[in-house]
Amino acid sequence: MRYIIIGAGAIGGTVGGRLAESGHDVVLVARGAHYEAVRERGLRVRTSDGTREHRLPVIQTPAELGELRPDDVLFLAVKTQDCEAALDAWSGRPVAGGGTAGEVLPLVCAQNGVESERIALRRFRRVYGMCVWLPATHVEPGSVSAAGAPYTGILHIGRYPKGTDDTARLVAADLEKSKLLAPVVADVMRWKYGKLLSNLANAIEAVTGPLSGDEAVALYRRARAEGEAVLAAAGIEAVSEQEQKETRGDRIRLEPLDGSERGGGSSWQSLSRGTGTIEADYLNGEITLLGRLHGVPTPVNATLQSVANAFARERRAAGSMPVAELLGLVAQAEERAGQRAGDRAGDRAQERPS
């Protein structure tokens, strides 16, 4: 199979590099300065077992690749906010032997959040979810780094909305040969919802810096408690923190990479690169959405979503807001939510017959 990595950033670049290292056919899709750097110098992938330069085909648009092959696997690794444009660009591309990519090719959604699979299923018949646990960094054009060892990460894969098949098992086998654990699961979205709850910390880290203090950690626990309440109200099951921890076990440890410190997760990296966008609408915003649908207040996540989006829009420096300032904004939102709840209670009381 040939792997077309749509979005060769931290996750896509690392997976593409590992697949290429183990002998698989890989095409990278990148843009801007990252595309130019990879085209001119190759993709530099730093891992615990060294740094490798991969001279791989790299394109910006599907038209540059021409007709797709029947054995192609599309590996979607752009941020969720960029999914629509990427899927529109690729779904209608012709495949040798007949049909379009959306009709015949498998599409693997390797993003945080739970929305990209729904977006993809409108355009692609064969959609696979992937729950990504792969501590990787991309802040410098042409370079990615991943500190996991001896395996680089764990990538649960399964059909969307549920189930498994031979394609999932073949992809998993290729990943396993490439120093990436890849359990094939029939309930992949359960894993992705569990990861979603963990990713509610991303906005806090992005705007205030690493979650090293008690106040920041406590704020994350409050955001997570809202998320758990929302998922319970919606009847959505998610893997627990304990199950995730047990699955990773001691099979992956994080090793510092010389000259390549990992400053933060995916949202922090978006702010550091000054992309102008961030994935908060599909992380904290997913909890906000479900809360509104099911009548569960989510002032903590709504505030984190709003502040993270403002940081991205205004291109403010990652980690530049004091935790105390963020806590103050959350307190104001909680006060407003309490007032609205009191107003609704008062309205209901007035509606009761005397």
Side-chain angles (χ1 to χ4, degrees):
M1 294 188 292
R2 180 175 67 171
Y3 289 88
I4 299 174
I5 310 294
I6 305 170
I11 301 304
T14 300
V15 172
R18 281 304 203 189
L19 286 167
E21 183 182 327
S22 61
H24 296 288
D25 196 356
V26 174
V27 176
L28 302 177
V29 183
R31 58 188 178 184
H34 189 45
Y35 163 79
E36 295 294 342
V38 174
R39 184 175 63 85
E40 293 174 8
R41 303 186 297 274
L43 177 69
R44 183 189 308 114
V45 181
R46 295 175 178 172
T47 63
S48 61
D49 50 4
T51 300
R52 292 173 174 81
E53 301 279 353
H54 296 283
R55 288 284 182 172
L56 300 172
V58 58
I59 60 175
Q60 294 187 94
T61 67
E64 298 170 53
L65 189 62
E67 194 174 49
L68 296 169
R69 299 180 349 197
D71 66 341
D72 282 338
V73 175
L74 303 183
F75 189 96
L76 186 67
V78 299
K79 296 290 195 304
T80 305
Q81 64 266 27
D82 298 320
C83 273
E84 294 270 5
L87 293 168
D88 283 345
W90 286 91
S91 61
R93 299 301 302 175
V95 178
T100 64
E103 293 167 343
V104 301
L105 294 185
L107 176 84
V108 179
C109 294
Q111 294 101 347
N112 290 330
V114 294
E115 184 64 19
S116 59
E117 289 82 3
R118 276 178 52 86
I119 298 172
L121 201 59
R122 296 178 187 276
R123 298 163 175 82
F124 282 80
R125 184 176 65 84
R126 300 171 62 195
V127 175
Y128 297 78
M130 177 171 281
C131 179
V132 176
W133 193 84
L134 198 169
T137 301
H138 166 54
V139 292
E140 175 189 351
S143 177
V144 298
S145 61
Y151 294 98
T152 304
I154 300 180
L155 310 174
H156 287 76
I157 183 172
R159 284 295 298 260
Y160 178 79
K162 60 183 178 181
T164 64
D165 63 12
D166 288 342
T167 297
R169 287 183 281 273
L170 287 170
V171 171
D174 286 348
L175 294 170
E176 295 270 0
K177 295 173 186 174
S178 308
K179 297 188 177 181
L180 292 157
L181 294 171
V184 178
V185 293
D187 56 350
V188 69
M189 296 311 293
R190 176 172 168 268
W191 286 91
K192 296 202 72 166
Y193 274 105
K195 180 76 185 310
L196 170 66
L197 293 174
S198 299
N199 286 141
L200 299 181
N202 285 26
I204 304 171
E205 178 188 63
V207 304
T208 70
L211 269 68
S212 55
D214 292 343
E215 289 184 324
V217 172
L219 181 57
Y220 161 61
R221 301 312 305 183
R222 290 162 61 189
R224 186 182 178 98
E226 282 185 359
E228 290 171 346
V230 161
L231 295 188
I236 296 172
E237 186 180 359
V239 298
S240 67
E241 290 178 286
Q242 183 62 31
E243 186 173 355
Q244 293 178 72
K245 185 177 180 180
E246 290 174 353
T247 298
R248 290 196 296 271
D250 59 359
R251 291 186 289 176
I252 298 179
R253 62 183 182 276
L254 299 184
E255 295 189 351
L257 302 175
D258 292 341
S260 182
E261 289 188 12
R262 187 171 189 262
S266 55
S267 297
W268 180 90
Q269 292 170 44
S270 291
L271 294 184
S272 296
R273 295 198 308 273
T275 62
T277 67
I278 199 168
E279 58 194 339
D281 283 346
Y282 300 98
L283 301 178
N284 307 94
E286 181 69 26
I287 301 304
T288 303
L289 169 63
L290 289 172
R292 290 168 180 165
L293 288 173
H294 296 279
V296 179
T298 59
V300 176
N301 282 285
T303 302
L304 296 177
Q305 176 188 2
S306 175
V307 172
N309 280 330
F311 260 66
R313 187 170 55 250
E314 298 164 12
R315 288 179 165 77
R316 296 171 63 179
S320 60
M321 175 178 280
V323 175
E325 183 178 346
L326 180 58
L327 286 169
L329 296 174
V330 169
Q332 293 173 17
E334 290 177 322
E335 182 178 358
R336 290 192 297 269
Q339 291 173 347
R340 288 193 294 269
D343 292 342
R344 288 193 295 270
D347 291 342
R348 288 193 296 269
Q350 292 179 5
E351 291 171 1
R352 295 192 190 105
S354 57

